[in-house]
Amino acid sequence: MVCQSLMELKIVLRSVLVACKNALTIDELWKRTIYVFGGPHQIQLKLFGYETPYDLLKNITDVVQLQDPEDTNSIVNLISSELSKHMELLVTTNIIRPPKSKICQNDLLVPYRTQCAFIRIFHELYPEGLSISDFESDVLCIPIFQSYIDCVDILLFNLDHLFIRKGQEMVCLQPKLVNKLNEIIEIDDKYTAMDICNIDEYSLENKYDDQQISNGLEYPLFNILEDSIKSNIEQLLNEVPGWISDRQMCNLYIDKFGSAFTHYRRWGFSRVSQMFSKLPELCCVHFSTNEVEIISSINHTCDVYKNANVSEEANKSGSFSINAKQKYNNEPNEDYGVLKQFLRNDPYLITSLNDCFLEQEIQHFELKINDSLNVNVCAVNTNIIPTIICQSLDQYHEFQKLLVDMKNFYFLHEQEFLFDSTITMIKHTYAYFFDDCWFRGFVTDINLSVIQMINIDNGSMHTIPFDDIRLLHIQFTHLPAQSLTCNLHGIGSMDEDELLKIKDKKCLIYVVSIDQQNKSASVKIKCIDSVSDKYLNDEWIESGIAEPDSDED
């Protein structure tokens, strides 16, 4: 419905504030208000003499008062009125939530693979260093570094283990690091500076390419980590005979060495166990539903073949699904999952953790070799091999109902699923708000004040602010993830413009093989409305549009 008058808008604003249990910011209040009217286009603020929601709320002092009139996203407090006093008595008064964390020098976490990219660029192109101004213009313009272009000083402060400043004008790699790099013997498939420059935004956010890029960029952490840190870790682990939980490691380190173990964040890891998993020379890390545990390599020999038979049987059966992780619990009295460890004392979270989805991924729909299914082609990519992202159409009506239910649910309960954004975990699934709707998404990266998300139901990639992410209610996890990454069977390369012609089209795919490790399938494809019996794979190769795969028999 169209907002007809300023009086009508004031009534809706008052109603939304009265109905909410907690205090709302300007952005949160406005989202709910435009939802009531049916979208932002239904409210023409300029007709009432205002440019922005902030301008409006700052001036309607008979309805609301801004807690901080200078803050464009201030907390909004309701002005009591005889019209709504009977309702105000039934709800909690506005609660001023804890202040949101601001980015400071200690908050900038530069992912490990990005740090390795910096090292490779400098070691290959700038062994003598370069000026700060050239660093900004020649290095930070590369796509993988562009998110740091506005915070050079903070970036260099947080990467002082990699870089050393010569005065105020020059920056170069630390001499000790250079010595370590000169001792490393690398294999041929590691990325060069030219490869790093050619990594585009799609590849950075694409789940399929993510592991390949990390493998190409990363050095073995053991080879470049400071010797003093390696020595301390080794000494601490060797003194503890059994498994050490992830949450205990920092406390043990402080007790033994008298200083906080912040090295994991300095090297670009959001958790201790993520860093330790990169140090197989020193320890073994066990990831399970209930705990993450670490043990010295000397005290424990990892049985890397213990699940080989299970994986082999899965490959033989030709089935493809994401299985729940096996339980492993040495402390049966504490049934806290990994994410629960961080959320149980969260000052923002209102709802019970039992209502929240805390696993990494929602199960995908089962796919088997020789299956045929109807899909919508949502995205294409030819950067490495021709790849398409498909959305299943077989559960279309169930998926549409899910979207409607999520929108209605989070309109009423959004604040109950708010959590401390500093503990947002990469490679976990959340609910997120985008374009006036709520979706299920998988976090691929966190840069400064934004989160990179992949929609698990259509493969689209979004960059959202921390304010627009919430924990996912378990009722929205029953429908399997609807997107699927597919390689085009028999095709080694093809022109992207030709592949783009099938984007947003309804197609039939035939599953030829399944890649269990990358959770993708090799398929043949044809448009549903095509009168030809031939698959497009064959037509493209016969017409010369595509080059056949050299490995194909």
Side-chain angles (χ1 to χ4, degrees):
M1 65 177 181
V2 177
C3 180
Q4 301 290 342
S5 66
L6 182 59
M7 178 61 69
E8 181 183 14
L9 181 56
K10 287 181 177 180
I11 292 173
V12 171
L13 287 167
R14 180 180 293 279
S15 301
V16 171
L17 284 170
V18 168
C20 288
K21 181 178 180 181
N22 291 341
L24 300 178
T25 63
I26 292 175
D27 288 346
E28 291 165 343
L29 173 60
W30 197 246
K31 284 179 187 176
R32 286 165 168 74
T33 303
I34 63 178
Y35 180 88
V36 172
F37 283 102
H41 57 283
Q42 304 286 13
I43 307 175
Q44 301 296 324
L45 286 179
K46 290 184 179 180
L47 296 178
F48 308 134
Y50 302 105
E51 293 292 329
T52 66
Y54 168 71
D55 295 333
L56 168 71
L57 297 172
K58 190 175 180 179
N59 287 282
I60 53 171
T61 53
D62 56 323
V63 179
V64 300
Q65 181 181 58
L66 300 184
Q67 186 168 300
D68 181 0
E70 302 302 319
D71 183 0
T72 56
N73 195 30
S74 168
I75 294 292
V76 183
N77 292 315
L78 177 66
I79 300 298
S80 182
S81 166
E82 292 297 328
L83 296 174
S84 59
K85 188 167 289 185
H86 64 291
M87 284 298 297
E88 294 168 26
L89 295 174
L90 300 178
V91 297
T92 308
T93 56
N94 278 354
I95 302 170
I96 300 176
R97 68 174 59 158
K100 295 181 180 178
S101 58
K102 297 183 182 291
I103 296 175
C104 66
Q105 291 184 334
N106 292 328
D107 288 328
L108 183 58
L109 188 146
V110 183
Y112 178 62
R113 72 174 184 184
T114 305
Q115 295 191 31
C116 290
F118 275 121
I119 296 172
R120 292 186 183 279
I121 289 288
F122 268 77
H123 194 234
E124 180 180 338
L125 301 181
Y126 310 107
E128 302 301 321
L130 74 170
S131 67
I132 298 297
S133 60
D134 288 342
F135 176 65
E136 294 179 22
S137 61
D138 297 347
V139 177
L140 295 185
C141 64
I142 299 172
I144 196 172
F145 305 134
Q146 283 181 350
S147 59
Y148 306 103
I149 201 165
D150 294 324
C151 56
V152 179
D153 289 333
I154 298 176
L155 175 68
L156 293 175
F157 176 88
N158 280 270
L159 297 183
D160 61 349
H161 55 295
L162 304 186
F163 297 119
I164 184 172
R165 282 195 173 190
K166 297 179 179 179
Q168 293 298 316
E169 300 301 324
M170 292 288 293
V171 60
C172 62
L173 289 177
Q174 289 278 3
K176 290 184 178 180
L177 177 59
V178 174
N179 292 336
K180 291 176 180 292
L181 294 174
N182 292 334
E183 296 174 359
I184 298 175
I185 301 175
E186 292 201 299
I187 56 179
D188 294 336
D189 61 351
K190 289 296 183 179
Y191 281 19
T192 64
M194 183 62 71
D195 294 327
I196 295 171
C197 293
N198 289 331
I199 298 174
D200 60 18
E201 184 178 358
Y202 180 90
S203 298
L204 290 174
E205 297 177 351
N206 186 279
K207 192 172 162 185
Y208 178 77
D209 298 338
D210 182 76
Q211 190 59 50
Q212 289 180 302
I213 292 175
S214 295
N215 291 340
L217 289 175
E218 292 179 5
Y219 293 96
L221 179 59
F222 183 82
N223 291 353
I224 62 175
L225 187 64
E226 298 99 317
D227 291 335
S228 58
I229 300 175
K230 287 192 291 189
S231 176
N232 286 351
I233 292 174
E234 186 174 20
Q235 185 179 347
L236 177 61
L237 290 172
N238 289 344
E239 290 181 2
V240 180
W243 293 92
I244 306 172
S245 70
D246 179 87
R247 65 183 186 276
Q248 292 174 323
M249 184 58 69
C250 290
N251 292 333
L252 292 174
Y253 193 93
I254 292 175
D255 292 342
K256 182 166 183 62
F257 300 108
S259 60
F261 187 75
T262 58
H263 311 293
Y264 69 99
R265 289 190 61 83
R266 199 161 55 93
W267 279 96
F269 302 100
S270 59
R271 300 199 26 234
V272 173
S273 55
Q274 290 175 345
M275 176 182 179
F276 279 50
S277 67
K278 298 286 187 181
L279 294 170
E281 300 86 351
L282 298 178
C283 61
C284 300
V285 179
H286 184 95
F287 291 85
S288 73
T289 302
N290 296 319
E291 189 60 275
V292 177
E293 296 177 313
I294 304 162
I295 193 171
S296 166
S297 295
I298 295 177
N299 295 333
H300 179 76
T301 301
C302 290
D303 182 9
V304 297
Y305 300 108
K306 65 181 179 180
N307 291 322
N309 292 334
V310 176
S311 299
E312 185 177 350
E313 288 301 317
N315 285 325
K316 286 180 179 178
S317 67
S319 63
F320 168 52
S321 62
I322 298 174
N323 298 319
K325 293 177 288 183
Q326 292 181 348
K327 277 202 167 187
Y328 182 87
N329 189 4
N330 282 341
E331 300 174 30
N333 292 329
E334 290 193 20
D335 188 23
Y336 290 107
V338 172
L339 189 53
K340 281 187 180 180
Q341 303 286 350
F342 297 90
L343 289 171
R344 56 182 175 177
N345 295 318
D346 191 297
Y348 297 90
L349 189 63
I350 297 174
T351 194
S352 167
L353 288 177
N354 293 329
D355 293 332
C356 303
F357 179 73
L358 304 178
E359 299 295 325
Q360 287 188 316
E361 295 185 84
I362 292 174
Q363 182 176 354
H364 281 65
F365 58 86
E366 187 176 14
L367 193 64
K368 295 181 179 179
I369 293 174
N370 297 327
D371 273 356
S372 294
L373 66 156
N374 296 319
V375 299
N376 183 59
V377 179
C378 302
V380 302
N381 179 28
T382 59
N383 287 334
I384 301 176
I385 57 175
T387 304
I388 58 175
I389 308 295
C390 300
Q391 181 180 34
S392 171
L393 296 177
D394 294 340
Q395 294 181 301
Y396 176 80
H397 295 294
E398 293 89 339
F399 174 62
Q400 292 302 314
K401 182 178 185 303
L402 173 81
L403 293 182
V404 172
D405 290 345
M406 284 186 68
K407 184 172 184 177
N408 292 333
F409 178 84
Y410 280 101
F411 173 71
L412 296 174
H413 304 288
E414 175 187 354
Q415 293 307 303
E416 298 171 30
F417 288 80
L418 178 72
F419 64 100
D420 184 352
S421 60
T422 62
I423 61 174
T424 302
M425 297 181 69
I426 293 175
K427 298 185 178 179
H428 272 68
T429 303
Y430 298 87
Y432 70 98
F433 184 78
F434 182 81
D435 198 21
D436 291 333
C437 291
W438 285 92
F439 301 99
R440 306 185 298 179
F442 185 82
V443 176
T444 61
D445 203 359
I446 299 173
N447 290 320
L448 301 179
S449 59
V450 297
I451 303 172
Q452 309 290 337
M453 305 286 295
I454 289 183
N455 186 316
I456 67 170
D457 294 306
N458 63 21
S460 59
M461 294 167 288
H462 298 132
T463 299
I464 64 166
F466 282 105
D467 288 345
D468 288 343
I469 191 170
R470 296 292 184 270
L471 292 177
L472 183 66
H473 194 285
I474 55 173
Q475 68 173 304
F476 303 121
T477 63
H478 303 308
L479 184 70
Q482 297 293 292
S483 67
L484 175 67
T485 300
C486 301
N487 304 325
L488 296 176
H489 179 72
I491 294 181
S493 64
M494 70 177 294
D495 183 70
E496 186 170 18
D497 290 337
E498 290 294 333
L499 192 55
L500 281 169
K501 292 179 180 180
I502 64 170
K503 186 174 181 292
D504 297 325
K505 286 192 174 182
K506 292 179 173 57
C507 295
L508 175 75
I509 61 172
Y510 172 75
V511 181
V512 179
S513 63
I514 293 168
D515 185 340
Q516 295 282 350
Q517 182 176 359
N518 292 313
K519 301 183 177 67
S520 63
S522 179
V523 304
K524 291 187 173 183
I525 186 170
K526 62 181 177 181
C527 296
I528 290 179
D529 58 3
S530 173
V531 295
S532 173
D533 292 332
K534 277 190 175 181
Y535 287 102
L536 289 172
N537 308 52
D538 302 321
E539 292 184 0
W540 285 330
I541 292 175
E542 290 173 3
S543 64
I545 292 174
E547 294 291 333
D549 187 350
S550 58
D551 295 332
E552 193 67 24
D553 293 329

